[in-house]
Amino acid sequence: MSQRNIRVQPTEDRAVEEQDVEIVERKGIGHPDSICDGVAESVSRALAQEYLDRYGTVLHYNTDETQLVAGTAAPAFGGGEVLDPIYLLVVGRATKTYDGQRFPAESIALEAARDYLDETFPDLDVGTDVIVDVKLGEGSGDLQEVFGEDGTVPMANDTSYGVGHAPLTETEQIVLNTERQLNGPYSDDNPAVGQDVKVMGKREGDHIDVTVAVAVIDDYVENMSEYRETIEGVREYVSDLAGEYTDRSVEVHVNTADNYDEGAIYLTTTGTSAEQGDDGSVGRGNRANGLITPNRPMSMEATSGKNPVNHIGKIYNLLSTKIAQSVAEQVEGIQEVQIRLLSQIGQPIDKPHVADAQLVTDDGVSVADVESEVQATIDDELANITDVTEAVIEGDISTF
C-alpha cells in the first residue's frame, strides 16, 4: 500500500471543452520571452550534462533569470539591417568549484546560448545581431545533500506546487500545433515566415477564432504583393490545419494590425520582434505544457532554466502534466483531469505533501468508479519521478 498522500475528487466546474468561452495562447519560439526560455533551458541542459560527465552527478545551479533587451532594426523589402543589437543576459547561479576542481560554468553557458541561437534563428547573426552575456553567481557544493546522491530520491528545494491537465481541448490543440507547424514544416518551405509566431485562440460556443501574428523576414519578400501572398498563405495553411482538430467553425486572422494603405506591416530583418523594442524574460510566456490557458489553474513558476533534480518549480509542473496525460490515456471514463502536486521543503520529491486529482467523468461514470485506478496511475508516476530529470537533461521534454 502506497504511503503517498493522493486525493481524487470531482471538479466543481464544467469541462473546459463544454464552457461557453475558452481562451488559449502560445508564444512561439521566436517571441522574446520564449527566446529567454529556450536559451535558459539550453544552458541548463549543458551545465547538467557537463556536471554529469565530469563528476558523475548534477551539481547545484539555476539559470532561470535570463533577460533580453530588444535592439533596433530597419527592415526593408529585399533585406534590411539591425541598427542596434539585441542584448541577452543569462543570469543565475552555478557550482564553480567542486572536490577541489574549478568548473567553467560561464564558458559552458555562453557556448550553449550561442549554439541555441545559431540553430534556432537562421536569419539572426549571433556575431553581430545579438550580444550574449553571462553572469552566474557562485552556487554551493554543500547543497549536494538535497540533490539525491547515491541513488537516493532528492529532497524538495522549496514548498511549492505544480499543475497539469489533460486531454487538450480542440482549441488548445489548434493553438499549440499552429505554432509548431508554422515553425516546422511550413517555414522550411516558406522561409519568409520568421520564428516569432504568436497564436491566440478564442472559442465562443462552437465558433473558434484563431489570431496569428507572424514576423515576416524581409530578405524573402521583395514587395508588398509578396508580403500579402505570404500572409494569405499562412491564413490558408492554418485554416486547413485547424480542420484536423475540430469540426467546429474556424476563422483565421493573420497580422491584424497591418495597414497596407499606410505600409504599416509586420516586417522584420531577423524573424523576431526582439530586434525592435520588444524585451523578454524567462517564465513570462508559455507554461510547462507550452500553452497559456486562463480557463485552467496555472503555476506562475518559470520552468525553463531551473535545475531538473530537485527544483519543484520545474519538476512538479512537468510531472503534473505527464501524470494528467497518463491518467487521461490509461483510465477509461474520464473526460478531463486536473493534477496538482504540492511539495514540502526538505521532503522527498516522490512523496508530495499532497497529490490532488480533480476529475470530470463521462456520463454514467462516478469518481468512485475510477478512484483506485487513478490513484495507482499517480502513484506509479511519482515512484518514477527521477525519469523526468533524465528526460529533461536529454532534451526529450519541452519546458515551454
Side-chain angles (χ1 to χ4, degrees):
M1 184 71 178
S2 172
Q3 296 179 346
R4 297 183 176 95
N5 183 21
I6 300 173
R7 303 291 299 274
V8 180
Q9 59 180 317
T11 181
E12 296 180 359
D13 298 324
R14 288 184 294 166
V16 173
E17 195 75 81
E18 297 179 350
Q19 294 177 15
D20 295 333
V21 176
E22 179 184 7
I23 299 171
V24 183
E25 179 182 4
R26 174 164 171 80
K27 296 179 178 180
I29 58 174
H31 187 284
D33 293 334
S34 297
I35 293 174
C36 292
D37 287 332
V39 167
E41 188 60 18
S42 293
V43 170
S44 171
R45 290 200 304 269
L47 289 172
Q49 191 61 62
E50 192 64 24
Y51 284 135
L52 283 170
D53 291 345
R54 294 192 183 207
Y55 311 121
T57 188
V58 178
L59 303 183
H60 177 251
Y61 76 87
N62 287 298
T63 59
D64 57 337
E65 299 294 339
T66 297
Q67 304 287 322
L68 182 150
V69 180
T72 55
F77 289 126
E81 60 182 340
V82 173
L83 302 176
D84 297 303
I86 299 163
Y87 177 73
L88 186 69
L89 177 60
V90 180
V91 182
R93 293 197 168 271
T95 302
K96 300 180 181 180
T97 303
Y98 183 72
D99 199 23
Q101 300 179 48
R102 290 287 293 170
F103 181 79
E106 295 196 349
S107 296
I108 292 168
L110 187 59
E111 181 180 13
R114 288 174 172 168
D115 286 348
Y116 176 80
L117 294 172
D118 265 335
E119 294 167 4
T120 309
F121 303 97
D123 293 278
L124 181 73
D125 189 327
V126 177
T128 59
D129 295 342
V130 58
I131 297 170
V132 182
D133 197 1
V134 178
K135 297 292 182 185
L136 299 179
E138 184 76 35
S140 174
D142 295 338
L143 291 174
Q144 285 308 108
E145 295 177 6
V146 300
F147 262 53
E149 288 186 325
D150 301 323
T152 61
V153 175
M155 305 299 166
N157 77 315
D158 195 6
T159 300
S160 188
Y161 68 93
V163 298
H165 67 266
L168 296 183
T169 66
E170 292 177 356
T171 307
E172 288 169 338
Q173 293 179 70
I174 291 169
V175 169
L176 184 65
N177 288 291
T178 290
E179 189 276 332
R180 286 180 172 173
Q181 293 299 310
L182 288 177
N183 262 321
Y186 188 83
S187 62
D188 290 344
D189 296 331
N190 299 273
V193 174
Q195 291 72 38
D196 196 346
V197 175
K198 179 178 174 180
V199 186
M200 184 71 74
K202 180 208 66 171
R203 178 182 58 77
E204 290 187 66
D206 284 328
H207 179 76
I208 300 172
D209 283 290
V210 181
T211 302
V212 185
V214 175
V216 177
I217 301 176
D218 55 11
D219 264 346
Y220 305 101
V221 289
E222 295 293 333
N223 49 51
M224 183 66 79
S225 177
E226 290 187 9
Y227 175 89
R228 295 182 72 163
E229 288 175 5
T230 299
I231 299 307
E232 180 58 21
V234 170
R235 191 194 66 76
E236 292 178 356
Y237 179 80
V238 175
S239 296
D240 290 342
L241 181 68
E244 299 179 15
Y245 299 98
T246 186
D247 292 326
R248 292 178 165 117
S249 63
V250 179
E251 186 172 1
V252 178
H253 317 263
V254 184
N255 289 10
T256 56
D258 284 352
N259 187 318
Y260 296 136
D261 293 336
E262 296 183 4
I265 56 176
Y266 193 5
L267 193 67
T268 69
T269 298
T270 62
T272 171
S273 59
E275 72 176 35
Q276 188 73 29
D278 198 357
D279 303 323
S281 181
V282 170
R284 203 169 63 178
N286 307 323
R287 301 299 90 195
N289 68 348
L291 295 169
I292 302 167
T293 52
N295 286 66
R296 303 182 185 269
M298 292 186 289
S299 166
M300 297 308 295
E301 286 274 11
T303 305
S304 299
K306 288 180 166 62
N307 83 69
V309 176
N310 77 329
H311 205 305
I312 294 303
K314 184 182 209 116
I315 298 168
Y316 272 15
N317 278 299
L318 294 173
L319 183 61
S320 292
T321 299
K322 187 171 183 290
I323 289 174
Q325 292 168 346
S326 294
V327 170
E329 292 170 2
Q330 297 174 21
V331 183
E332 293 185 5
I334 293 179
Q335 185 176 353
E336 179 181 282
V337 56
Q338 179 78 45
I339 299 293
R340 297 184 296 180
L341 299 178
L342 173 65
S343 70
Q344 194 172 52
I345 189 169
Q347 299 303 305
I349 61 173
D350 68 333
K351 294 181 179 177
H353 205 36
V354 67
D356 176 47
Q358 296 182 320
L359 310 179
V360 177
T361 55
D362 293 339
D363 290 342
V365 178
S366 69
V367 169
D369 293 333
V370 296
E371 182 175 6
S372 61
E373 195 173 353
V374 171
Q375 287 178 328
T377 302
I378 296 172
D379 192 61
D380 183 62
E381 292 286 355
L382 286 167
N384 294 286
I385 191 171
T386 54
D387 290 351
V388 173
T389 297
E390 296 174 9
V392 168
I393 294 173
E394 291 295 324
D396 294 334
I397 298 179
S398 175
T399 58
F400 68 99

